[in-house]
Amino acid sequence: MASRTGRWTRILAGASLVVGGLARGSGAGRLIALVGLVPLVGGTLDFCLMGPFFGLPLKGEAIRRKVGRIGEDSLLPHPPLFMERPALLH
């Protein structure tokens, strides 16, 4: 869940719960929206509340370092610094 894909999954699931709960327009819907804020904010701010239950740290960066998945810190993949240009044939 601390990987880029896991973070996006939590963000989208949380956003779906918030929108669905608010669209319901009832007290139960507001409660669902409030619960949906937890994965939405957790994925956005890079912390995983389930980490300590599995003996892992709370912060996503520390989890990735511990399991050897370094380089997936940002939500969006970085483009290469130097784009290779196609060679022109003369």
Side-chain angles (χ1 to χ4, degrees):
M1 292 309 291
S3 70
R4 184 179 297 132
T5 305
R7 288 178 65 196
W8 275 112
T9 302
R10 289 188 287 147
I11 290 170
L12 294 174
S16 298
L17 286 171
V18 169
V19 170
L22 292 178
R24 221 172 146 180
S26 65
R30 284 191 284 277
L31 181 63
I32 291 171
L34 189 64
V35 169
L37 285 176
V38 175
L40 177 65
V41 172
T44 305
L45 297 179
D46 196 18
F47 65 86
C48 186
L49 292 176
M50 296 301 289
F53 291 112
F54 296 102
L56 295 169
L58 188 64
K59 294 196 53 85
E61 180 182 357
I63 293 172
R64 287 187 297 277
R65 191 177 319 115
K66 188 168 184 174
V67 298
R69 302 232 15 192
I70 299 171
E72 285 192 24
D73 292 341
S74 69
L75 283 172
L76 300 175
H78 297 292
L81 291 177
F82 299 103
M83 301 283 287
E84 289 188 32
R85 294 181 151 181
L88 296 176
L89 300 174
H90 289 83

